[in-house]
Amino acid sequence: MPETVRVDRWLWATRFYKTRARATEACREGRIRRGGLPLKPAAAVSIGDRLEIPSHDRTHTRQIEVLALEDVRVGASLAQTAYRDHTPADIIEAAAERRAEQKTERLFRHGDDQGRMTKKLRRDWAGSQPDES
């Protein structure tokens, strides 16, 4: 078993990211941190390191301690034994509330109102507004 593993490979192997390319991209964008400093994809991770990893929906940042070094993708049950999550409970609760709010917002959108306006909707909306001049 190796003494260190590349951080992008470890993130992929422990199922934090679906592909290694996405793990590499997260590192390049500075989202993966150790001790408050961003990690490059080739940075070495060893047992006992504490990493800051954004959640998949980016509602909060997870505080992860590395317990085992994996360099090949493993099953979900084995992946969970490779780290310990030290994220405080209040942060997890706040993230769950944000997810619930986002879900209700999605449920109450109208059929054509799925985010950013299309050019046609913008024209229709601008035409229905009264002139202020």
Side-chain angles (χ1 to χ4, degrees):
M1 185 153 234
E3 293 181 15
T4 61
V5 176
R6 287 176 55 117
V7 67
D8 61 342
R9 191 171 180 110
W10 187 85
L11 291 168
W12 165 76
T14 54
R15 296 181 172 265
F16 283 102
Y17 290 94
K18 194 169 189 173
T19 64
R20 187 165 169 202
R22 287 189 183 172
T24 302
E25 180 183 339
C27 292
R28 283 195 183 125
E29 291 174 355
R31 287 187 266 147
I32 309 301
R33 296 176 171 269
R34 177 175 46 204
L37 299 173
L39 293 176
K40 292 183 177 183
V45 174
S46 55
I47 294 175
D49 284 351
R50 286 188 176 237
L51 304 176
E52 298 170 17
I53 304 169
S55 64
H56 67 282
D57 56 0
R58 296 192 186 151
T59 55
H60 67 288
T61 300
R62 299 173 69 181
Q63 308 292 324
I64 302 297
E65 178 185 0
V66 177
L67 298 179
L69 297 177
E70 301 291 344
D71 60 348
V72 293
R73 195 157 171 97
V74 295
S77 59
L78 284 175
Q80 290 175 351
T81 63
Y83 62 89
R84 183 177 299 133
D85 196 344
H86 292 286
T87 309
D90 56 335
I91 291 176
I92 294 173
E93 291 172 12
E97 289 174 10
R98 264 180 289 195
R99 274 192 222 100
E101 289 171 8
Q102 291 171 354
K103 184 176 181 180
T104 56
E105 287 174 8
R106 282 193 307 271
L107 292 175
F108 290 111
R109 286 184 186 158
H110 298 290
D112 291 337
D113 184 22
Q114 293 298 315
R116 193 171 160 181
M117 279 194 205
T118 63
K119 196 170 186 178
K120 182 182 181 329
L121 286 174
R122 201 168 38 252
R123 279 195 214 113
D124 293 345
W125 179 77
S128 66
Q129 297 296 314
D131 285 337
E132 294 183 17
S133 44

